[in-house]
C-alpha cells in the first residue's frame, strides 16, 4: 500500500511532465505519415462499418434491443473496447519503447504506463465526440447519464492500467507477452457481449450469462450502453459495480507488486 501511495504522490508531483510527455507521445504516433491523425480513426471506423454492413444491411438481423438501431447499440459497446485494447497494447510495450528513459537512474519508470494511458485517452476523447455526434444525427434521446461516460472511461482506464503494469514488467523478460496480450484481446472482444446481446444465451444456456458478467469489461461496455441508450446510473448496478472495483483493485495491486519486484532488473535487460 505504501508503494501505491508513493506512486500517487509521484504522479501529482510530476503531473506537468507526465502531461507534456503524453502529448509528445500522441504526436509521435503520426510523424511522417501523410494523413497524420486521420489514421487513428480509419481502422476503428472501418471495423464499425463492416459490422454495420454485415449485421444490419446484409443479414438484416433484428436489433439486439427493440427500437434501437444496431449501429447505435454497437458503438457504445465497441468505443470503450477500442480504448481498452489500445491502452493495454501500448502499456505492454512502453518499457521497450522508452528504454532510454528506463536506463536513467533519476527517472521514475512507474509513470511510463501513465503516459501511454493519457496518450490513448486523448484518442478516446475524439471517439466519444464522434459517438455523441452519431447519436445526435439519429436524433436519439439525450440523457443526463451521457456525462457518466467519463466515469466508465475512468473505470476502463484503471482496468487496463492494472493489467498493464503486470504485462509491461513481464514483457521486458518474456518478449512473447505482447503477442499473448494481443491474442487474449481478440478472445476478449468476443467474450464480452459487444457484437451480440447476452440474452441470446438466456434460454438454452443461462449459466453463460453469469459467465459473461464475470468478465470485468462487461461492466464497462454495459455501462456505456446504460449511459447512452437507457439512462441508467451506475449505482443501479450495485453488485456489478462492487465486483468490478474489487477485481480491478486486485489486478492493480498484483500488477504493481510484480512491477516493483522486477523493476531493479529492467535496465540490465533493456
Amino acid at each position: 500500500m505504501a508503494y501505491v501511495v508513493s506512486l500517487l504522490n509521484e504522479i501529482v508531483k510530476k503531473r506537468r511532465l507526465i502531461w507534456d510527455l503524453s502529448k509528445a507521445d500522441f504526436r509521435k504516433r503520426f510523424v511522417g505519415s501523410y494523413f497524420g491523425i486521420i489514421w487513428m480513426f480509419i481502422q476503428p471506423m472501418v471495423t464499425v462499418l463492416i459490422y454495420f454492413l454485415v449485421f444490419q444491411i446484409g443479414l438484416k438481423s433484428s436489433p439486439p434491443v427493440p427500437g434501437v438501431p444496431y449501429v447505435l447499440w454497437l458503438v457504445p459497446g465497441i468505443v470503450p473496447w477500442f480504448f481498452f485494447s489500445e491502452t493495454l497494447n501500448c502499456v505492454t510495450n512502453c518499457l521497450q519503447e522508452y528504454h532510454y528513459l528506463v536506463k536513467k537512474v533519476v527517472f521514475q519508470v512507474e509513470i511510463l504506463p501513465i503516459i501511454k494511458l493519457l496518450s490513448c485517452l486523448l484518442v478516446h476523447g475524439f471517439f466519444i465526440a464522434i459517438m455523441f455526434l452519431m447519436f445526435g444525427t439519429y436524433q436519439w434521446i439525450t440523457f443526463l447519464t451521457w456525462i457518466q461516460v467519463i466515469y466508465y472511461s475512468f473505470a476502463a482506464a484503471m482496468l487496463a492500467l492494472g493489467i498493464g503494469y503486470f504485462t509491461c514488467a513481464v514483457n521486458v523478460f518474456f518478449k512473447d507477452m505482447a503477442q499473448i496480450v494481443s491474442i487474449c484481446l481478440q478472445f476478449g472482444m468476443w467474450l464480452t457481449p459487444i457484437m451480440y446481446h447476452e440474452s441470446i444465451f438466456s434460454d438454452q444456456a443461462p449459466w453463460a450469462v453469469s459467465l459473461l458478467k464475470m468478465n470485468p469489461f462487461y461492466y464497462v461496455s454495459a455501462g456505456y450502453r446504460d449511459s447512452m441508450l437507457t439512462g441508467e446510473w451506475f449505482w443501479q448496478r450495485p453488485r456489478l459495480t462492487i465486483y468490478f472495483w474489487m477485481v480491478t483493485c486486485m489486478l492493480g495491486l498484483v500488477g504493481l507488486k510484480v512491477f516493483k519486484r522486477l523493476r531493479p532488473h529492467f535496465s540490465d535487460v533493456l
Side-chain angles (χ1 to χ4, degrees), residues 77-92:
I78 205 170
V79 163
W81 179 260
F82 287 148
F83 169 56
F84 173 78
S85 59
E86 182 188 21
T87 300
L88 188 52
N89 275 321
C90 290
V91 170
T92 299

Side-chain angles (χ1 to χ4, degrees), residues 7-267:
L7 177 59
L8 292 175
N9 289 333
E10 192 69 24
I11 292 171
V12 173
K13 189 186 302 183
K14 295 185 177 179
R15 59 188 182 277
R16 180 63 63 85
L17 173 64
I18 292 172
W19 178 241
D20 289 341
L21 288 175
S22 299
K23 291 188 292 184
D25 183 87
F26 176 78
R27 290 191 296 267
K28 186 178 68 174
R29 298 190 200 187
F30 313 106
V31 172
S33 61
Y34 286 108
F35 295 102
I37 200 172
I38 296 176
W39 283 114
M40 77 178 182
F41 297 106
I42 292 178
Q43 182 178 356
M45 295 302 289
V46 167
T47 302
V48 172
L49 180 62
I50 288 172
Y51 285 116
F52 171 73
L53 293 174
V54 170
F55 288 102
Q56 186 163 324
I57 304 299
L59 299 178
K60 300 186 184 300
S61 56
S62 57
V65 178
V68 179
Y70 179 79
V71 69
L72 288 191
W73 182 85
L74 173 65
V75 169
I78 205 170
V79 163
W81 179 260
F82 287 148
F83 169 56
F84 173 78
S85 59
E86 182 188 21
T87 300
L88 188 52
N89 275 321
C90 290
V91 170
T92 299
N93 293 291
C94 69
L95 296 180
Q96 279 87 352
E97 183 176 348
Y98 288 99
H99 61 90
Y100 53 90
L101 293 177
V102 175
K103 294 180 180 181
K104 290 183 179 293
V105 179
V106 296
F107 189 81
Q108 197 81 8
V109 295
E110 286 86 351
I111 69 174
L112 288 176
I114 308 293
I115 290 168
K116 280 295 184 182
L117 170 65
L118 291 177
S119 175
C120 294
L121 195 58
L122 291 172
V123 178
H124 185 54
F126 283 106
F127 276 104
I128 289 176
I130 291 173
M131 180 174 68
F132 286 161
L133 181 63
M134 182 178 295
F135 273 70
T137 302
Y138 271 82
Q139 297 181 341
W140 191 256
I141 302 171
T142 303
F143 295 109
L144 184 60
T145 50
W146 282 19
I147 196 173
Q148 201 173 225
V149 165
I150 298 172
Y151 161 74
Y152 284 110
S153 296
F154 174 75
M158 291 302 99
L159 179 62
L161 193 62
I163 301 172
Y165 269 110
F166 173 83
T167 57
C168 73
V170 174
N171 193 43
V172 174
F173 306 92
F174 181 60
K175 306 300 182 184
D176 293 333
M177 176 56 70
Q179 302 301 323
I180 293 172
V181 168
S182 180
I183 292 172
C184 288
L185 286 171
Q186 291 182 43
F187 277 105
M189 187 173 186
W190 291 101
L191 292 175
T192 307
I194 294 174
M195 310 300 174
Y196 58 89
H197 196 274
E198 64 266 22
S199 61
I200 63 175
F201 299 108
S202 298
D203 296 332
Q204 297 182 350
W207 54 269
V209 178
S210 300
L211 191 62
L212 288 173
K213 291 182 179 181
M214 292 179 66
N215 176 356
F217 195 81
Y218 172 87
Y219 176 73
V220 177
S221 62
Y224 263 70
R225 285 174 175 146
D226 287 343
S227 303
M228 300 300 298
L229 295 171
T230 65
E232 292 184 33
W233 296 94
F234 71 90
W235 57 76
Q236 293 177 258
R237 290 179 179 266
R239 291 184 180 178
L240 272 179
T241 299
I242 294 171
Y243 170 76
F244 172 83
W245 286 112
M246 284 180 61
V247 171
T248 300
C249 289
M250 182 186 68
L251 290 173
L253 290 173
V254 170
L256 283 171
K257 186 174 182 179
V258 172
F259 191 96
K260 181 184 178 182
R261 181 70 61 87
L262 297 178
R263 177 191 167 189
H265 309 288
F266 289 163
S267 58

